[in-house]
Amino acid sequence: MLTEDKKTRFRVYEEKRRILLVEDDIVNREMLKESLGGTYNIVIAETGEDALSILRTQYETISIVLLDLNLPGIKGVEVLKRIKANPAYSHLPVIVMTSEGEAEVECLTLGAIDFIPKPYPPSKVILARILRTVELSEDRDILRVTERDNLTGLYNKEFFYRYAQQFDLYHKDTKTDAIVLDINRFSTINERFGKACGDEILKRVAEKALDYVNEAGGIVCRSDADTFMFYCPHRDEYEAMFKEMSDYTGGTPGDYRIRLRMGVYSDVDKTLDIERRFDRAKMAADKVRGNLSKPIGFYNSEIHETEVLAEQLIDDFSSAIREKQFAVFYQPKYNIRGEKPHLVSSEALVRWNHSKLGMISPGVFIPLFEKNGLIQELDRYVWSETAAQIRKWKEEYNVTLPVSVNVSRIDLYDPELTEKLQKIIDGNGLCAGDLVLEITESAYTENAEQIIERVKNLRNMGFKIEMDDFGSGYSSLSMLSYLPIDALKLDMHFIWSAFGERKDTRLLEAMIGLAALFKLPTIAEGVETEEQVTALEKMGCDIVQGYYFSRPVPAEEFEKFIKKAQ
Ligand code: C2E
Ligand code: MG
Ligand code: MG
């Protein structure tokens, strides 16, 4: 069992509040220390200068200021003015202690919240006033952000980050871990068993998570849908904690096994933004996504290097667009239904010819840009370049060869998507049929209805839609009957596993058959050998794309395929 370390247990409301007592008179000081010391931690300032310098460094842990007006050096009224003029701590409640009736009005105008008259009233009166003031001011703070997640009762992300920062302030020398816990394929659980069941699982995770922080110290929140974040005193291993959480939440519903995955950024660097620390934990969690034998990932030097590279690529993005470092390559697609394979279209695939790092494959930067939204700008660039290229080929070779471009999920949420595409088409004198849109299967899994609506619009405009990477996501086969698509691109892994070591083409055959049932042509990508082409042809596959015919090549090089086809 965990050993309890009182020092590292953290409840914001269990910590003793700190009062800054600004008072030069030793007798008064001792008296107030005596009456308040049991309930509060008292920080003493004997002069106004002292008080301001303490505030500068410690304002975050101070809950209230008790200010004597009659001070040597800077006067109390001036101290009050300066406190209220500094945005970092102007929100701190200040109670003024005075025997001079007239100063009261001035102090209230300046922002003091209450008075304690001298000679002092009984200590329980003082305590009650302070308590009420502290509560009022904290409530006001809390109201600014809704603190808790409705479903689980845990903190929400915004509040959690604030509390994590406070945790640091109270535990400067405590090694701390940032942890992200996710439920694998949570959307599938919701879809298969209903939202109520999904909610139940989230509550169970929350319950156990709270048990954990109650015992180990630290705080926890539900940050979004199925993601929980912990900020806790460091420990070397998380196997036991993870097992306990999994055992508690893993059994339901029916025979479906719910699996968790966890990412730990151990002994965080406290100079980093709090969000950044949790980004690191998230990266560690993503690293073990789908890895059932290793559900706990730790942030390590390998992830760190990826992070550094990612930062560099993001920094370099704008200049790369300006300097046209992104090149569009084209890979031919061949129809294999006729006597001889013939060129029917191609796919535009972007590459980054980075000024310092050389050629970078989209597998590296696309997922990154999809995360931060830069993909929209990049895609727009690629679509424009591609449209210009189609026009050029039209003019030079008098051919109409549709080219497909990739459309990211994020693009589909862009309200101006249709206008942007229309503009690109019009600007190059093309029609919608010249540009085919590849939309990856996984784009349909979230907000399916909204996405389907958008894709329908695009189709109504005349664009042909190909569903990319079919079979890699988890969209149900029944969706095929109502999705607005014109062709299915089978995910490469299908081809590879069908023709792999344990050759078994049954699944591939079934897929092609199914597509035919829905009158959808199939495109096989990742086709590398003649044997595969022959087999696919027999199975009824329509179009083939892959290294067997050609790798993606620069536009000039692609022209040889056009010439050959003429
Ligand atoms: P994708 O759209 O499924 O593209 C097919 C990928 O398979 C390409 O990788 C292509 O080079 C590769 N490929 C084609 N034939 C073969 C083969 O026979 N064997 C093997 N091993 N691979 C083959 P690439 O160019 O690295 O692109 C990777 C992914 O990046 C693409 O997958 C697509 O999702 C994304 N992508 C590429 N360009 C763009 C773009 O302009 N915009 C967006 N949003 N995504 C892009
Ligand atoms: Mg594609
Ligand atoms: Mg694909």
Side-chain angles (χ1 to χ4, degrees):
M1 267 286 103
L2 302 161
T3 51
E4 191 152 313
D5 177 358
K6 282 279 179 206
K7 275 211 312 273
T8 52
R9 281 188 60 137
F10 182 68
R11 298 281 165 284
V12 166
Y13 293 117
E14 274 177 18
E15 299 285 333
K16 259 189 177 180
R17 301 295 190 287
R18 297 176 84 208
I19 293 184
L20 174 60
L21 173 60
V22 195
E23 170 66 89
D24 62 316
D25 183 297
I26 184 159
V27 179
N28 286 343
R29 250 185 357 239
E30 288 310 314
M31 215 191 90
L32 284 169
K33 256 166 67 181
E34 180 66 32
S35 11
L36 305 175
T39 321
Y40 297 94
N41 283 329
I42 316 271
V43 185
I44 303 274
E46 294 183 16
T47 64
E49 287 85 345
D50 276 358
L52 291 169
S53 90
I54 290 173
L55 278 178
R56 265 193 293 279
T57 53
Q58 301 180 36
Y59 67 89
E60 286 165 300
T61 55
I62 285 173
S63 297
I64 186 165
V65 182
L66 296 189
L67 177 65
D68 176 25
L69 283 187
N70 199 1
L71 292 169
I74 323 178
K75 293 286 166 231
V77 172
E78 181 57 28
V79 176
L80 177 60
K81 257 194 211 158
R82 294 198 198 171
I83 293 177
K84 292 295 157 188
N86 190 321
Y89 40 79
S90 60
H91 65 279
L92 277 182
V94 180
I95 295 184
V96 176
M97 303 179 294
T98 175
S99 52
E100 306 155 35
E102 318 86 274
E104 286 186 11
V105 182
E106 188 182 1
C107 289
L108 279 176
T109 330
L110 288 174
I113 203 158
D114 202 357
F115 278 90
I116 297 178
K118 283 181 183 173
Y120 293 133
S123 62
K124 40 175 219 267
V125 175
I126 301 183
L127 268 175
R129 278 194 172 175
I130 292 177
L131 183 66
R132 204 196 90 219
T133 308
V134 169
E135 276 179 358
L136 275 177
S137 96
E138 284 181 356
D139 282 352
R140 190 190 55 198
D141 270 4
I142 286 167
L143 281 176
R144 266 190 262 141
V145 200
T146 335
E147 179 182 337
R148 290 187 187 267
D149 162 44
N150 278 339
L151 179 70
T152 61
L154 297 185
Y155 294 133
N156 62 28
K157 185 158 68 183
E158 289 71 25
F159 232 79
F160 173 81
Y161 281 152
R162 287 178 55 174
Y163 277 178
Q165 271 155 349
Q166 291 193 31
F167 183 91
D168 283 346
L169 292 168
Y170 285 105
H171 304 289
K172 281 205 169 69
D173 302 320
T174 307
K175 282 184 173 183
T176 310
D177 297 346
I179 302 162
V180 165
L181 182 84
D182 262 323
I183 302 172
N184 280 340
R185 293 175 55 189
F186 185 67
S187 56
T188 315
I189 298 174
N190 265 339
E191 267 163 35
R192 270 183 66 178
F193 304 103
K195 194 167 169 300
C197 171
D199 284 354
E200 213 41 54
I201 293 165
L202 292 173
K203 282 196 227 164
R204 285 174 76 89
V205 175
E207 211 178 295
K208 211 62 197 164
L210 208 54
D211 281 354
Y212 177 74
V213 294
N214 278 341
E215 216 168 321
I219 49 174
V220 63
C221 79
R222 177 161 87 116
S223 67
D224 31 44
D226 60 328
T227 305
F228 295 81
M229 304 197 295
F230 300 69
Y231 196 58
C232 295
H234 168 73
R235 54 170 48 204
D236 288 329
E237 61 85 31
Y238 281 93
E239 303 287 334
M241 178 261 206
F242 185 82
K243 184 171 182 318
E244 222 173 286
M245 302 247 2
S246 296
D247 287 350
Y248 188 69
T249 47
T252 51
D255 57 355
Y256 187 89
R257 187 155 172 74
I258 294 154
R259 292 180 193 275
L260 307 175
R261 75 170 179 280
M262 192 160 104
V264 182
Y265 171 33
S266 219
D267 187 10
V268 301
D269 172 354
K270 292 188 180 173
T271 63
L272 293 177
D273 278 356
I274 193 84
E275 284 92 340
R276 183 81 187 274
R277 296 177 218 166
F278 282 92
D279 284 348
R280 290 187 165 186
K282 178 106 181 89
M283 283 182 233
D286 287 346
K287 196 83 186 166
V288 294
R289 186 191 291 272
N291 186 343
L292 301 185
S293 61
K294 189 172 173 283
I296 309 175
F298 284 86
Y299 181 83
N300 55 20
S301 56
E302 188 193 331
I303 304 180
H304 182 67
E305 274 163 33
T306 316
E307 194 190 3
V308 172
L309 175 66
E311 270 167 26
Q312 183 181 0
L313 297 184
I314 291 167
D315 282 351
D316 294 345
F317 177 77
S318 300
S319 58
I321 287 273
R322 258 196 328 274
E323 293 165 16
K324 291 198 165 250
Q325 290 177 16
F326 290 102
V328 184
F329 277 34
Y330 298 86
Q331 187 177 34
K333 293 180 182 174
Y334 281 89
N335 187 321
I336 54 166
R337 304 273 2 114
E339 207 156 276
K340 258 184 28 207
H342 60 280
L343 183 68
V344 280
S345 71
S346 71
E347 176 173 8
L349 293 155
V350 71
R351 268 95 189 94
W352 186 347
N353 196 354
H354 193 281
S355 52
K356 292 190 207 81
L357 303 171
M359 214 46 135
I360 312 177
S361 105
V364 175
F365 58 86
I366 296 278
L368 184 66
F369 295 162
E370 280 179 337
K371 249 188 248 158
N372 64 13
L374 287 176
I375 191 69
Q376 286 194 27
E377 198 179 335
L378 178 61
D379 276 345
R380 202 165 155 191
Y381 175 86
V382 173
W383 303 339
S384 301
E385 292 286 300
T386 304
Q389 191 59 58
I390 299 174
R391 176 196 183 146
K392 197 160 158 253
W393 283 332
K394 253 190 184 179
E395 286 169 355
E396 263 172 50
Y397 297 97
N398 195 24
V399 289
T400 301
L401 191 72
V403 180
S404 60
V405 292
N406 289 284
V407 177
S408 282
R409 198 176 65 85
I410 326 282
D411 295 320
L412 295 171
Y413 288 104
D414 176 4
E416 285 163 24
L417 176 66
T418 45
E419 287 88 40
K420 283 178 187 167
L421 281 166
Q422 191 65 51
K423 224 165 135 192
I424 291 173
I425 299 286
D426 294 346
N428 289 284
L430 305 180
C431 59
D434 293 326
L435 207 60
V436 179
L437 308 179
E438 292 194 10
I439 299 175
T440 178
E441 186 208 55
S442 57
Y444 293 90
T445 45
E446 233 174 83
N447 288 334
E449 273 172 37
Q450 191 188 345
I451 297 292
I452 290 172
E453 204 46 45
R454 304 231 78 194
V455 178
K456 267 189 187 153
N457 285 343
L458 293 168
R459 210 160 167 240
N460 289 340
M461 288 167 72
F463 291 107
K464 292 268 180 288
I465 311 290
E466 289 178 1
M467 186 190 251
D468 205 353
D469 312 317
F470 182 71
S472 66
Y474 300 96
S475 65
S476 60
L477 292 177
S478 62
M479 279 172 89
L480 284 185
S481 62
Y482 59 84
L483 283 180
I485 49 178
D486 300 283
L488 271 193
K489 281 189 94 167
L490 301 176
D491 191 60
M492 283 189 275
H493 294 95
F494 265 116
I495 316 292
W496 296 345
S497 60
F499 297 100
E501 242 169 64
R502 287 191 1 256
K503 206 172 146 200
D504 186 350
T505 53
R506 283 176 302 177
L507 190 57
L508 185 58
E509 231 172 314
M511 288 295 215
I512 296 172
L514 189 79
L517 214 59
F518 289 109
K519 304 219 162 22
L520 287 170
T522 38
I523 303 167
E525 61 180 339
V527 176
E528 297 182 351
T529 65
E530 186 167 357
E531 179 209 355
Q532 292 168 355
V533 179
T534 317
L536 282 161
E537 189 189 349
K538 281 209 191 93
M539 290 178 214
C541 174
D542 303 278
I543 294 169
V544 159
Q545 173 185 350
Y547 294 174
Y548 173 71
F549 289 109
S550 168
R551 288 177 177 263
V553 292
E556 314 79 67
E557 212 179 313
F558 186 82
E559 290 175 8
K560 69 176 181 225
F561 298 109
I562 303 180
K563 284 185 199 148
K564 220 159 111 192
Q566 280 188 320

